[in-house]
Amino acid sequence: MRCREAAMGDWSSREIRFFDLDEFDERYGCYRLAAREAEGAMVASLRQFGQMSPVVCCLREEKPCLIDGFKRLQAARAIEEITRLSTRLIEADDRQAKVAIYRLNQVGRRVHVLEEAWLIYALVRQDGLSQLEVGQLLGRHKTWVCRRLALVEKLCAEARQDLQLGLLSPSAARQLLRLPHGNQREVLECLRRESLTVAELRGVVDLVLAASTREQKEFVLEKPRQALAQARGGPTRSWDPRLSTAGNRVARKLGCLLDFLAGMENWLRHRGRGELSACDCSILSPGFERLARDGRVVGELADDLVQEMKQA
């Protein structure tokens, strides 16, 4: 074949070669999502203009292993007249190939958040890199890497599938990550049924986490918007007849405090340092130091009170 005129070992990164469609090793295709609309557009483009840019490969066992160009390959297979693709070589080991998949797809249709998560999972869990090292390779902060890794490791299977199909946004997925797996499924069903916004979902997650009884959680999941209105102090909020005047006063303060803490926990866990600039840090640092100190004190006092209540 013409594509074998020169030995594979003599292939230079500056040289464009042509390979038959069935010659490509597609092992890295597991990190890319199928995009039917994009592939359809690529078929139309190839028919009208031909291949405008070469696909990118590295060598594996003397075969071209595809790194970038999966849509072009699938589209070419749908066009009878196209039997080969022009190909450019890069030198890359397994880690570098995964980084290249991310880097080469920052223009045009960017890597989907779940594709990013798969790549990061492979780099951390399979290749043994630290989250900091992965962040440096991808030009991202460690907190960004941590959030993407959680999409694979902590998100329930149903939510991952919805994310993959585009039925669940990354922002909504991050809210679900605040919950245990079992609760993720329940809240996901509520999200689907009620068509909640991300802001509403955030509030529902806060309420589910704060619920102290099964009945409270069921009320939130069955009537999420009514529960949110009550939590915001809307007109449906009522005096709890089971509590004394002092008890109701404390309950209101406790509810407000827990709401604020849930919001702060969400920010610290899922955004945190990666969202702040250097000038923000110097100004906000004393406040967070006080939050850490006072939080420990309040936590210890609350533990003491709980023990007294149990003994009463």
Side-chain angles (χ1 to χ4, degrees):
M1 287 185 290
R2 282 175 291 176
C3 62
R4 295 299 188 186
E5 288 176 355
M8 295 290 283
D10 298 331
W11 188 10
S12 166
S13 61
R14 298 181 180 179
E15 177 187 4
I16 301 297
R17 292 196 182 182
F18 289 83
F19 292 93
D20 293 340
L21 302 183
D22 59 357
E23 288 190 85
F24 291 98
D25 183 328
E26 299 176 62
R27 69 182 67 183
Y28 296 120
C30 62
Y31 301 115
R32 302 307 308 272
L33 289 172
R36 293 182 181 179
E37 291 183 3
E39 288 176 4
M42 182 61 69
V43 170
S45 176
L46 285 177
R47 282 201 171 109
Q48 184 173 3
F49 304 110
Q51 186 183 357
M52 302 294 291
S53 59
V55 299
V56 179
C57 288
C58 59
L59 287 179
R60 294 291 184 268
E61 295 87 39
E62 293 299 305
K63 290 188 62 176
C65 184
L66 201 60
I67 290 177
D68 181 57
F70 291 95
K71 290 197 302 293
R72 274 165 284 175
L73 178 59
Q74 293 303 319
R77 286 170 173 163
I79 302 173
E80 186 175 350
E81 294 81 6
I82 298 180
T83 59
R84 298 190 302 164
L85 287 178
S86 63
T87 307
R88 181 167 67 88
L89 172 71
I90 64 171
E91 294 184 6
D93 60 21
D94 200 41
R95 294 179 182 179
Q96 293 166 340
K98 293 163 189 167
V99 173
I101 291 172
Y102 176 81
R103 291 286 194 180
L104 291 170
N105 284 277
Q106 294 305 292
V107 179
R109 189 186 82 90
R110 296 188 62 177
V111 178
H112 187 277
V113 63
L114 193 57
E115 295 173 319
E116 293 173 342
W118 286 336
L119 288 168
I120 289 167
Y121 179 86
L123 288 168
V124 173
R125 303 306 181 205
Q126 297 172 10
D127 296 330
L129 296 178
S130 70
Q131 294 182 29
L132 181 60
E133 289 172 324
V134 172
Q136 291 171 341
L137 286 172
L138 302 183
R140 292 286 190 168
H141 195 273
K142 179 184 175 181
T143 56
W144 181 90
V145 174
C146 183
R147 290 197 299 270
R148 293 301 187 272
L149 188 60
L151 289 176
V152 174
E153 296 190 322
K154 297 180 180 179
L155 197 63
C156 69
E158 294 86 347
R160 284 202 305 270
Q161 183 176 17
D162 279 8
L163 183 64
Q164 184 172 355
L165 296 174
L167 302 176
L168 183 70
S169 71
S171 297
R174 282 192 284 272
Q175 293 303 319
L176 293 176
L177 282 172
R178 297 167 53 201
L179 298 162
H181 268 217
N183 286 344
Q184 285 182 22
R185 297 185 183 94
E186 294 176 326
V187 174
L188 179 62
E189 291 175 3
C190 176
L191 170 66
R192 293 167 173 168
R193 185 185 71 247
E194 301 291 337
S195 300
L196 300 175
T197 66
V198 174
E200 289 174 329
L201 176 61
R202 183 186 303 112
V204 168
V205 171
D206 289 341
L207 293 176
V208 169
L209 290 172
S212 58
T213 66
R214 180 66 192 178
E215 290 74 15
Q216 289 176 337
K217 187 171 75 171
E218 288 177 349
F219 174 71
V220 172
L221 295 176
E222 291 174 7
K223 300 179 180 180
R225 290 189 174 91
Q226 182 178 341
L228 289 170
Q230 291 183 7
R232 295 188 191 107
T236 58
R237 190 165 190 166
S238 60
W239 180 272
D240 191 334
R242 300 170 299 172
L243 296 174
S244 65
T245 301
N248 272 286
R249 186 164 55 247
V250 171
R252 284 195 297 272
K253 291 180 179 179
L254 182 60
C256 291
L257 177 59
L258 291 175
D259 285 344
F260 282 123
L261 282 175
M264 180 56 68
E265 179 190 2
N266 179 50
W267 183 85
L268 289 169
R269 189 182 299 276
H270 299 289
R271 287 180 286 175
R273 172 66 184 87
E275 194 175 65
L276 301 177
S277 64
C279 62
D280 294 328
C281 295
S282 60
I283 297 171
L284 294 174
S285 180
F288 279 103
E289 289 176 359
R290 180 178 175 184
L291 173 62
R293 182 182 65 249
D294 292 357
R296 285 191 292 269
V297 172
V298 172
E300 291 172 359
L301 293 172
D303 283 338
D304 291 342
L305 180 59
V306 168
Q307 295 303 318
E308 291 178 14
M309 290 176 170
K310 289 181 178 179
Q311 296 171 4

